[in-house]
Amino acid sequence: MLKRIAMAAAAAAGFCGAALAQPAPAYIWSGYYLGGSIAATYGTVDWEYWNLPGQTLTRHPAGVMFGAHGGYRVRQNDMVYGIELSWLSGLKVENTGPDAPIFAPAFDSYARINSLVTVGPRLGWIVNERWQPYITGGFAGGEVLTSFFAKGFSPGFGNTVSGWHWGWFAGTGVDYAWTKSTTIGLEYLHVDLNSELRSSTIVPAAGAARYIEPSADILRVKLTFAIP
């Protein structure tokens, strides 16, 4: 009896060891996918007053953004080709400080990044079936709000304008196959957007109209789900 028990225990141990030794199911690096992300964002908003030479300032809105992304990819050998669309929305990605030199004694300035969107190709390569480092780049857009207001008041009581700016982005990242259908990733992006004339009046007026040129650096954690 003891011999049979010992043999059964040995067989069970062997089975468990073999099961543990089996590799986890491989992630399929092809097809459609969707996911969400949380991002630390550090922006730069260069601000130049229209028709007032030398009256410039820079605000650095910073904060946390949340977003969603989706795309399609195809694996060929160890390379992965794809395209991805992403959206981020800010949670108080803002900054307040002195206005341009001639206004600074009486006024402050404010900048906030409300949203960012990117769309572009991705090129990655598979390492040990679990890791996929990649590079990406393409088209980007961002909604930016600016305001100047009398000291002691809030931006809501100032001269406020907002609008979308368009440009490009480039970045790199790495995905890790957590399960057969889920990856977690870390990604860095630089977003550079064009300068636009923003005015609260139909006809630009000196002291109110300004050129706004935003950019942002983003570090985000991504959770992605493959669509069967």
Side-chain angles (χ1 to χ4, degrees):
M1 177 65 71
L2 291 176
K3 183 177 180 180
R4 291 181 180 179
I5 293 175
M7 292 176 61
F15 175 80
C16 291
L20 291 173
Q22 291 296 317
Y27 185 82
I28 301 174
W29 297 98
S30 293
Y32 292 98
Y33 61 90
L34 291 172
S37 63
I38 181 171
T41 303
Y42 181 80
T44 298
V45 177
D46 291 324
W47 177 325
E48 179 180 359
Y49 278 100
W50 176 80
N51 214 26
L52 290 175
Q55 299 309 306
T56 63
L57 63 111
T58 299
R59 296 268 63 83
H60 289 291
V64 176
M65 305 185 86
F66 298 91
H69 59 274
Y72 181 77
R73 58 198 168 195
V74 175
R75 176 176 180 175
Q76 293 184 350
N77 298 319
D78 287 335
M79 304 300 294
V80 179
Y81 308 90
I83 186 169
E84 182 173 293
L85 169 67
S86 75
W87 164 82
L88 288 167
S89 181
L91 182 66
K92 292 188 177 297
V93 182
E94 59 188 1
N95 179 242
T96 301
D99 204 345
I102 63 171
F103 303 121
F107 290 89
D108 282 333
S109 62
Y110 171 84
R112 184 177 75 216
I113 299 175
N114 290 329
S115 300
L116 292 169
V117 295
T118 61
V119 59
R122 286 180 28 150
L123 174 62
W125 53 99
I126 307 300
V127 180
N128 294 330
E129 292 299 326
R130 285 290 179 180
W131 297 91
Q132 186 209 170
Y134 61 87
I135 56 175
T136 184
F139 177 77
E143 184 188 17
V144 177
L145 179 147
T146 60
S147 178
F148 66 88
F149 51 96
K151 289 184 180 295
F153 290 85
S154 69
F157 291 94
N159 183 293
T160 302
V161 292
S162 65
W164 281 86
H165 298 251
W166 307 102
W168 58 270
F169 81 97
T172 185
V174 60
D175 287 331
Y176 172 73
W178 188 20
T179 71
K180 188 176 180 181
S181 59
T182 307
T183 64
I184 55 176
L186 182 67
E187 181 180 78
Y188 165 77
L189 299 178
H190 175 75
V191 176
D192 200 289
L193 305 177
N194 64 337
S195 176
E196 293 283 354
L197 178 62
R198 300 298 180 195
S199 177
S200 58
T201 58
I202 296 176
V203 178
R210 58 266 198 190
Y211 289 98
I212 301 298
E213 184 174 2
S215 62
D217 291 288
I218 302 162
L219 184 65
R220 64 177 173 176
V221 176
K222 304 169 71 177
L223 181 63
T224 304
F225 304 94
I227 300 176

